[in-house]
Amino acid sequence: MNCSISGEVPEEPVVSKKSGLLFEKRLIERHISDYGKCPITGEPLTMDDIVPIKTGKIVKPRPVQAASIPGMLGMFQIEWDGLMLSNFALEQQLHTARQELSHALYQHDAACRVIARLKKERDEAVAILAQAERQIPMSIAAPNAANVAALSNGKRAAEDDEMGPDGKKVRPGISSTIISQLSECNAALSQQRKKRQIPPTLASVDAVEKYTQLNSYPLHRTNKPGILSLDIQYSKDIIATAGVDANAVVFDRTSGQILSTLSGHSKKVTSVKFVAEGELVVTGSADKTVRVWQGTENGNYDCRHILKDHTAEVQAVTVHATNNYFVTASLDSTWCFYEITSGLCLTQVEDTSESSDGYTSASFHPDGLILGTGTSGALVKIWDVKSQTNVARFDGHVGAVTAISFSENGYFLATAAQDGVKLWDLRKLKNFRTFTPYDENTPTQSVEFDHSGSYLALGGSDIRVYQVATVKSEWNCIKTFPDLSGTGKATCVKFGPDAKYIAVGSLDRNLRIFGLPGEDGPSES
């Protein structure tokens, strides 16, 4: 007898009084409590209608599969398969849990980096705000002077923001008054040059041959090492350096002390120049801005102007001989002529020729009416400052023109590039000598005449000093200094007053001074 619900032999059999059907007690009781009727006939049914049946002790028969060895093997196989499926499901759950944990850890790490960056930006913003607050009193103290100085060609500096029909800013231009001032300066300097004599205090060739490293000063940060430009204020013997760490440093060579650190640029400072007696410093940066810094009574330098006329990296800054104007050259293929006092851009000159590559170097002629620029396309361009026209161009270099220097004699020009240094005669507008000190993979980073025009220094994987001669005479290399930075790149070189020492910057953070042993100065740091 089998249960009418499960179809199996009941353990506690009961029978319905109404239908006479046999059921398992627990199954029919549950059905009656849920539905109150017979599961087979559908008639109403209560617990009182169920009668238990007494049976003898019986043994539940084995299933058919267990009655033979093949059947038992099949049962074992089914159990094994179920176990493997369960194990596989657990492994999948473990893999999913690991992926979720990895993703959560990655998100946590990214969140930590974002928080660190935001904290850094907050600290930088606080520092800039504090610097701006320090500059406010200075800018308020002399508003009238700045406004008066901003007058140029009948227009105020505010008009500099006016846009022309071509979408470019309207510039006041270089007025006739300024041109007269430049011409008078040119005439005076040219007259002095005719009477120019080599100063008796100039270092002799024998002395230069004995030069060695005297000092090494760590001026910039260790996490972003590198000095890209330097300038020397001769009357005070102070040196300004431009660093990859976005700072410029004003350094007193005599005492060996840092006078001021000029912080404000957001990217590397590519060029630095003193103005007049060192009261002003001009810096150009890869952040596309130029800053004019004013010296204060406490020896620090405060930012006086932030100039944002360029749309690409500013690669060079050069100051006019009047100390009233300066020029900046940029990779945006323009150079700007500024008035120092007001920070007003009088004109922005763009080369309209086909070879309008970005500018990588620039320098004023000692007389101030000629501007020399080097481009990323290996061209050297000579400009007439009064008319802002390109009056000559020299080709022949390979790679970007990294440095340009005019001799004090007024007619020699030295330019440096990937292939070495070329010397040009401005009287005949031709190249008369080429130095190739390094292999084709080592560019010459810097070239510089000394103030008397007697020596020429160039820097690359080492530093070499040549004695200046005539066009036809041989220019002899009188001294070679190894690059002690270990970087293999001497990025800038400058002669001190009367060539008594040579300052060198490299792609480490140290400023190195080469000179005669025993010369006055602090001990090596």
Side-chain angles (χ1 to χ4, degrees), residues 3-5 19 21-23 28 31 37-43:
C3 173
S4 298
I5 296 176
S19 63
L21 296 174
L22 185 69
F23 299 101
I28 192 62
H31 189 83
K37 60 181 179 179
C38 178
I40 305 301
T41 63
E43 297 176 352

Side-chain angles (χ1 to χ4, degrees), residues 61-370:
R62 291 183 296 175
V64 178
Q65 294 88 345
S68 65
I69 291 177
M72 294 178 66
L73 291 176
M75 290 174 60
F76 293 153
Q77 183 67 47
I78 292 171
E79 291 293 332
W80 174 260
D81 292 343
L83 180 62
M84 291 297 103
L85 289 174
S86 176
N87 186 49
F88 178 73
L90 290 175
E91 288 182 349
Q92 279 191 321
Q93 292 177 1
L94 175 62
H95 180 68
T96 303
R98 285 178 174 173
Q99 283 186 324
E100 291 175 353
L101 178 60
S102 175
H103 185 65
L105 291 175
Y106 176 78
Q107 287 182 323
H108 177 267
D109 184 58
C112 290
R113 289 198 300 269
V114 170
I115 291 171
R117 179 174 57 82
L118 292 175
K119 285 183 177 179
K120 180 181 177 182
E121 291 177 355
R122 180 202 62 189
D123 295 340
E124 291 176 351
V126 170
I128 293 173
L129 178 60
Q131 182 180 2
E133 290 175 349
R134 291 196 302 268
Q135 295 168 5
I136 287 174
M138 181 183 68
S139 60
I140 294 176
N144 294 332
N147 289 337
V148 171
L151 286 169
S152 177
N153 200 24
K155 299 182 180 180
R156 290 188 179 271
E159 295 180 357
D160 187 45
D161 291 332
E162 295 180 359
M163 306 300 289
D166 56 355
K168 297 181 180 179
K169 292 182 180 180
V170 176
R171 308 295 184 186
I174 301 178
S175 66
S176 57
T177 303
I178 297 175
I179 292 177
S180 299
Q181 184 182 356
L182 300 182
S183 300
E184 290 172 3
C185 177
N186 173 75
L189 293 175
S190 297
Q191 190 65 28
Q192 292 176 11
R193 182 169 293 104
K194 294 178 181 178
K195 302 176 183 179
R196 182 179 69 95
Q197 294 182 349
I198 303 298
T201 55
L202 180 71
S204 64
V205 174
D206 292 338
V208 174
E209 289 177 346
K210 298 176 183 178
Y211 279 7
T212 185
Q213 179 174 310
L214 302 179
N215 314 95
S216 177
Y217 304 100
L219 302 185
H220 292 268
R221 297 178 185 173
T222 54
N223 60 338
K224 291 183 178 180
I227 297 176
L228 301 180
S229 175
L230 64 84
D231 194 25
I232 301 176
Q233 215 299 312
Y234 291 138
S235 62
K236 297 181 180 179
D237 202 9
I238 56 178
I239 302 174
T241 61
V244 177
D245 60 359
N247 292 330
V249 175
V250 179
F251 173 77
D252 184 359
R253 189 193 73 90
T254 305
S255 65
Q257 300 296 319
I258 293 177
L259 300 180
S260 182
T261 298
L262 283 53
S263 300
H265 286 293
S266 60
K267 295 183 179 180
K268 62 184 179 182
V269 182
T270 55
S271 185
V272 61
K273 290 292 180 183
F274 281 112
V275 182
E277 296 299 313
E279 300 302 325
L280 292 173
V281 175
V282 183
T283 57
S285 170
D287 63 7
K288 308 176 187 178
T289 68
V290 178
R291 290 177 180 249
V292 180
W293 307 82
Q294 173 75 55
T296 59
E297 294 180 356
N298 60 8
N300 291 325
Y301 284 79
D302 292 332
C303 184
R304 183 173 177 180
H305 300 294
I306 301 177
L307 312 174
K308 302 179 179 180
D309 297 286
H310 288 293
T311 58
E313 291 187 13
V314 179
Q315 290 285 297
V317 173
T318 179
V319 179
H320 191 268
T322 59
N323 285 313
N324 294 327
Y325 309 97
F326 69 92
V327 162
T328 60
S330 168
L331 289 178
D332 63 5
S333 303
T334 67
W335 57 267
C336 293
F337 187 92
Y338 289 95
E339 187 178 43
I340 289 178
T341 306
S342 64
L344 176 65
C345 178
L346 300 179
T347 185
Q348 185 169 12
V349 180
E350 181 177 2
D351 190 359
T352 57
S353 64
E354 295 181 359
S355 59
S356 56
D357 299 299
Y359 295 114
T360 52
S361 55
S363 178
F364 268 116
H365 186 275
D367 292 344
L369 287 184
I370 294 176

Side-chain angles (χ1 to χ4, degrees), residues 409-431:
N409 65 19
Y411 50 83
F412 282 166
L413 170 65
T415 56
Q418 179 79 26
D419 57 344
V421 172
K422 290 184 179 292
L423 299 175
W424 310 86
D425 187 347
L426 298 178
R427 297 167 297 184
K428 299 181 180 179
L429 300 179
K430 69 176 184 178
N431 169 234

Side-chain angles (χ1 to χ4, degrees), residues 378-389:
L379 277 179
V380 179
K381 299 180 181 181
I382 307 298
W383 300 82
D384 180 0
V385 177
K386 293 189 295 183
S387 61
Q388 301 100 59
T389 55

